[in-house]
């Protein structure tokens, strides 16, 4: 057990940096096991104080430290594994340090490390301190010049900014010098060195400047970067049009690496990507991969303004760049692929991850107020809920004021590190509104529950809406205040036609009701007939909505609510209620049948987009359902959900087969939204057909797999076969492996599909796969494919009543924590919700958390999440 309890960092303790670094010259002599880093910093005392200089530095082997050219004796400075401290320094001086680091043995993948024989870096949030001594905090902005020297087999030598100089050196070595004219925090520093192929293109910006675009990838992979390049160009143009933001350097580079802790990183002018989010061709990538590549390329590019040009004052302000940039990438994807479908997908992700977070021990506000390891706060709340908050802001003040506020923000804060308060102030000025109440969205954790009751008065032709809100307590926040919640409302008549009404004397089809107190009443007039209320259209606020509307209203909405989000939502609500009823021992067969019929009618709608229909066909996920069942019983939910799937499959047999045959892709593959939508619907049809117990279904699935001309269809076939099981599945798995064994990204999919198998034998299989020669826990993609997929997407088996699924996960966490704490900590989450499950399961989950916490030498990352999950702060 730990002997000392790590101390949290608090927002209220923020102090400006004691020393600033205006300029730095870094010089790297790259050797896999012994890289030398020389740093020459122009340091300046910030303010009038006599504090010693204290710079971060971890896992650095010091060689020398000099102030203004004089090497300090060991008695004149302290280096303790966390800090370099120099008690006595002048007001302005040059600090020169030299250290040695070991990239080859850096398996935490933070700082400078090696992936696939190449050097690369990851510095956000606190990795730069593993490269050199530095005030490693985002509010120290410096101009970087970087010299890289290496053996010539490391063919490309890359860093941020513009290439100033390059050439050969004696002894088979070469060098390059880079300069980044934009001051930046050290977390945006990047370096890459190695043998890479490059895909090049260029783009003329809105002011007529030509920007060189280069994507560096593993040798032979350049053609697979074509889609990312296309997405990059579209993103650059979109940011000019939607936000007036132009790219600022002459060169923009992206590098793909195989070993990366998360998706991608927005280093200034040199984005580094997990190769899974960059490389795609029809044979090896699914439509979902294409979609994610497009959105992540956009996200990292958009950071150039929201993150790089304007950064965060401290890590508590993380949502300032992340929530805002997610909002920007979601808007972009909506423009590219259709707003309704995009919105549904975004809300599904929000509910699955963020709502779950809010219901667990790790619930925290969009702007948290304390942490142990900032790595643990790259959460769905900061990202996804952070984006929802911006979206509500735009709804509340309107698009013009929103754009004006953004313009003011870019203008005022360019080149600086700032806060959420400063950001919101720009919108207060632009809209002339007091946003003090709105700010509570940043400070209060938890998902508000909104209830809506409606009363129609036929004689007066009025509809009274009575709204109320309540946010349940979250750890550390026992009482909650009301938030301003925009609820977009429209009305339908009983036939599903739009019903116009009046609000404050104005005739409208839709209105935004702002619920800004615990309860409120609003009266809509001119309502000609008893309406169906379509509320929270487009999911206008991240809340749980409960209404007193009868189920029949949902059927009207499912048949034709013009708000496609609510049309989809109506189907999900109906399905959720039926599954929960069955899981609770009260199956409602009549309405199950009615629901199947309604889905059939919705599928027949010729006007509806296939991508939308694919979403209609998919039932709420088991983890979504688990949030609605108290206490959650994953086995009962799995069975009940399967039962509804079987009913749908039987009832819609004809339609599904028809879709499956009719939507076959005959022409050339196109990754665009239209092509992807058709494939999504065809694969969703197959997925549902797989629930049909009839024997010819296995043949159809096998045929689908064998005939697949692209990875989307191959995976559609393989996962349908996985559900059916048996010989055909085993044969397909073997075929798939043999065919793709030299393609790591495809083999990740092979692991993931097996991890999601809900059949009884799957846990044994998953455990066996950890010994497979292709399994490598040191590669985060591979680990995620097997272990996270199992724990997050296979509730039926993860929650095995024996507790074996939990034990497996805890063993993995402990093993991975030995070399990669950031990744180990991400695996804790599935155990964190133990209080939401049946007492038997909860106790088994808790026991595994306790076993983890009792382990010696635990990282701060895993310690923080485990102790919080247990509701303890120390663990003794
Ligand atoms: N800013 C990075 C995330 C860094 C995570 C560090 N643990 C990628 C992104 O959000 O764009
Ligand atoms: Zn980001």
């Amino acid at each position: 057990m730990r002997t000392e309890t790590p101390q949290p960092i608090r927002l209220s303790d923020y102090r400006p940096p004691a020393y600033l670094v205006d300029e730095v010259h870094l010089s790297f002599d790259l050797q896999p096991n012994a890289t030398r880093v020389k740093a020459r910093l122009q340091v300046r005392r910030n303010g009038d104080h006599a504090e010693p200089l204290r710079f971060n530095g971890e896992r650095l082997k010091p060689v020398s430290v000099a102030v203004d050219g004089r090497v300090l004796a060991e008695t004149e400075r302290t280096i303790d594994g966390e800090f370099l401290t120099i008690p006595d320094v002048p007001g302005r001086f040059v600090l020169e340090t030299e250290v040695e680091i070991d990239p080859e043995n850096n398996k935490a993948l933070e700082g400078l490390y090696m992936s696939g024989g190449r050097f690369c870096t990851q510095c956000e949030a606190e990795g730069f301190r593993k490269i050199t001594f530095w005030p490693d905090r985002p509010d120290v902005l410096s101009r970087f010049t970087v010299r890289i020297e290496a053996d010539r087999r490391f063919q490309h030598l890359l860093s941020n900014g513009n290439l100033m100089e390059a050439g050969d050196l004696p002894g088979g070595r070469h060098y390059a010098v880079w300069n980044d004219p934009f001051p930046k925090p050290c977390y945006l520093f990047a370096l890459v060195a190695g043998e890479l192929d490059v895909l090049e293109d260029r783009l003329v910006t809105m002011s007529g400047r030509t920007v060189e675009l280069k994507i560096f990838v593993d040798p032979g992979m350049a053609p697979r970067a074509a889609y990312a390049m296309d997405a990059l160009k579209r993103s650059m143009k979109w940011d000019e049009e939607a936000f007036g933001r132009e790219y600022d350097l002459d060169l923009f580079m992206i590098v793909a690496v195989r070993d990366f802790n998360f998706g991608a990183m927005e280093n200034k002018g040199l984005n580094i990507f997990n190769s899974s989010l960059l490389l795609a061709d029809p044979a090896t990538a699914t439509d979902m991969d294409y979609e994610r590549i497009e959105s992540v390329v956009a996200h990292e590019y958009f950071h150039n303004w929201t993150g790089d040009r304007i950064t965060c004052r401290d890590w508590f302000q993380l949502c300032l760049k992340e929530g805002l940039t997610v909002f920007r990438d979601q808007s972009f994807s909506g423009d590219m692929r259709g707003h309704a479908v995009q919105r549904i997908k975004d809300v599904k992700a929000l509910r699955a991850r963020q709502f779950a977070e809010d219901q667990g021990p790790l619930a925290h506000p969009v702007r948290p107020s304390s942490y142990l390891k900032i790595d643990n706060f790259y959460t769905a709340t900061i990202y996804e809920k952070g984006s929802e908050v911006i979206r509500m802001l735009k709804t509340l003040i309107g698009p013009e004021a929103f754009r004006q506020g953004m313009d003011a923000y870019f203008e005022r804060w360019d080149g600086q590190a700032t806060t959420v308060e400063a950001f919101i102030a720009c919108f207060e000025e632009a809209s002339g509104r007091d946003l003090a109440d709105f700010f509570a969205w940043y400070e209060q954790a938890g998902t508000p529950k909104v209830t809506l009751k409606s009363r129609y008065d036929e004689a007066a032709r009025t509809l009274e809406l009575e709204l109320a809100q309540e946010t349940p307590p979250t750890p550390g926040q026992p009482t909650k205040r009301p938030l301003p919640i925009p609820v977009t409302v429209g009305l339908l008549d009983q036939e599903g036609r739009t019903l116009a009404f009046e609000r404050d004397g104005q005739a409208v089809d839709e209105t935004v009701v702002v619920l800004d107190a615990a309860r409120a009443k609003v009266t809509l007039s001119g309502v000609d007939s008893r309406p169906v209320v379509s509320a929270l259209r487009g999911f206008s606020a991240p809340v749980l909505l409960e209404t007193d509307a009868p189920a029949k209203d949902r059927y009207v909405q499912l048949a034709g609510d013009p708000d496609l989000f609510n049309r989809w939502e109506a189907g999900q609500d109906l399905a959720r209620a039926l599954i929960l009823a069955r899981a609770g021992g009260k199956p409602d067969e009549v309405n199950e049948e009615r629901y199947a019929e309604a889905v059939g009618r919705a599928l027949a709608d010729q006007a509806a987009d296939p991508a939308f229909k694919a979403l209609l066909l998919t039932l709420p996920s088991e983890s979504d359902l688990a949030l609605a069942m108290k206490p959650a019983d994953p086995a009962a939910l799995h069975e009940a959900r399967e039962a509804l799937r079987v009913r749908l499959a039987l009832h819609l047999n004809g339609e599904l087969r028809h879709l499956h045959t009719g939507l076959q892709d005959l022409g050339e593959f196109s990754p665009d939204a239209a092509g992807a939508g058709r494939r999504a619907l065809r694969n969703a049809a197959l997925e549902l057909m797989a629930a049909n117990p009839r024997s010819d279904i296995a043949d159809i699935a096998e045929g689908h797999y064998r005939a697949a001309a692209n990875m989307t269809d191959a995976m559609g076939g393989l996962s349908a076969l996985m559900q059916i099981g048996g010989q055909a599945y085993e044969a397909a798995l073997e075929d798939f492996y043999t065919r793709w064994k030299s393609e790591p990204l495809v083999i990740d999919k092979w692991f993931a599909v097996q991890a999601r198998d809900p059949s009884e034998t799957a846990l044994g299989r998953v455990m066996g796969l950890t010994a497979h020669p292709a399994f490598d826990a040191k590669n985060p993609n591979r680990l995620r494919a097997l272990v996270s997929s199992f724990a997050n997407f296979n509730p039926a088996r993860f929650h095995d009543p024996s507790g074996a699924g939990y034990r497996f996960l805890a063993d993995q966490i402990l093993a991975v924590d030995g070399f990669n704490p950031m990744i180990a900590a991400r695996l804790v989450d599935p155990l964190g919700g133990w209080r939401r499950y049946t007492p038997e399961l909860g106790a088994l989950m808790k026991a595994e958390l306790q076993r983890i916490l009792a382990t010696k030498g635990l990282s701060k990352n895993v310690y923080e999440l485990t102790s919080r999950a247990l509701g303890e702060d120390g663990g003794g």
Side-chain angles (χ1 to χ4, degrees), residues 124 264-266 299-300 303 306 318 321-323 325-326 329 378 383:
E124 186 178 1
M265 178 64 211
E266 70 264 25
H299 179 98
E300 305 311 332
H303 267 314
T306 49
L318 186 56
K321 74 178 178 80
E322 295 304 349
T325 305
V326 171
D329 84 57
Y378 286 75
Y383 277 69

Side-chain angles (χ1 to χ4, degrees), residues 428-688:
E428 290 200 311
E429 284 166 38
S431 65
R433 287 172 55 170
D434 179 353
L435 295 172
D437 291 345
F438 184 78
F439 205 79
W441 276 110
Y442 285 102
E443 296 182 318
Q444 185 165 290
T447 310
K449 186 152 106 193
V450 172
T451 50
L452 168 65
K453 289 185 189 148
S454 55
R455 203 169 314 126
Y456 180 61
D457 183 333
E458 202 171 341
R461 292 167 56 241
T462 56
L463 179 74
E464 189 184 82
L465 299 176
E466 195 184 323
L467 293 126
Q469 63 169 297
E470 205 196 323
T471 304
T474 53
Q477 285 189 338
T479 53
K480 304 284 184 179
R481 38 186 173 141
L483 297 163
I485 300 177
V487 182
T488 305
V489 178
L491 304 179
L492 308 177
D493 68 14
Q494 301 296 328
E495 271 70 56
R497 288 179 299 241
T498 296
L499 194 59
F501 57 94
E502 284 164 23
R503 172 115 194 253
D504 305 326
Q506 296 260 332
V508 290
D509 283 345
E510 195 173 273
T511 187
V512 180
V513 174
V514 182
L515 170 63
D516 55 6
R519 44 192 68 246
K521 272 187 192 166
V522 178
T523 304
L524 308 177
S525 49
V527 183
D528 282 338
S529 62
R530 175 173 300 279
V532 168
V533 182
S534 171
L536 205 69
R537 283 189 157 175
F539 203 64
S540 55
V543 300
L544 287 162
L545 176 69
E546 259 175 35
T547 75
D548 62 351
K552 74 174 176 48
D553 286 11
R554 298 263 185 275
Y555 283 104
V556 175
Q557 290 187 275
L558 174 56
D561 195 322
D563 182 79
L564 289 178
F565 178 84
N566 270 4
R567 191 187 298 184
W568 169 80
E569 179 85 321
Q572 296 285 298
D573 277 347
L574 289 164
R576 200 176 292 117
L578 292 167
I579 297 169
L580 289 171
R582 193 176 263 276
K586 298 196 185 69
D588 178 353
E589 307 218 346
V590 174
N591 279 310
E592 285 180 358
E593 207 54 26
R594 184 174 174 204
Y595 169 72
E597 252 158 51
V599 173
R601 275 193 302 276
L603 279 184
D605 177 357
Q606 293 304 320
D609 173 5
F612 175 74
K613 290 188 193 174
L615 292 165
L616 272 187
L617 265 190
T618 312
L619 295 179
S621 69
E622 288 169 47
S623 29
D624 174 321
L625 293 159
L627 290 177
M629 182 180 192
K630 294 190 173 83
D633 178 347
L637 286 172
H638 178 70
E639 271 171 40
R641 185 176 183 273
E642 280 308 297
L644 188 59
R645 273 169 35 83
V646 171
R647 186 174 297 274
L648 281 174
L650 293 172
H651 192 105
L652 301 174
N653 185 34
E655 286 92 329
L656 295 174
R657 283 171 192 250
H658 182 73
L659 285 174
H660 187 256
T661 342
L663 287 165
Q664 207 156 345
D665 238 335
L666 297 171
E668 208 173 297
F669 179 94
S670 157
D672 64 6
R678 288 166 57 86
R679 285 185 291 275
L681 181 53
R682 182 163 184 261
N683 282 301
L686 178 70
E687 157 108 11
L688 198 49

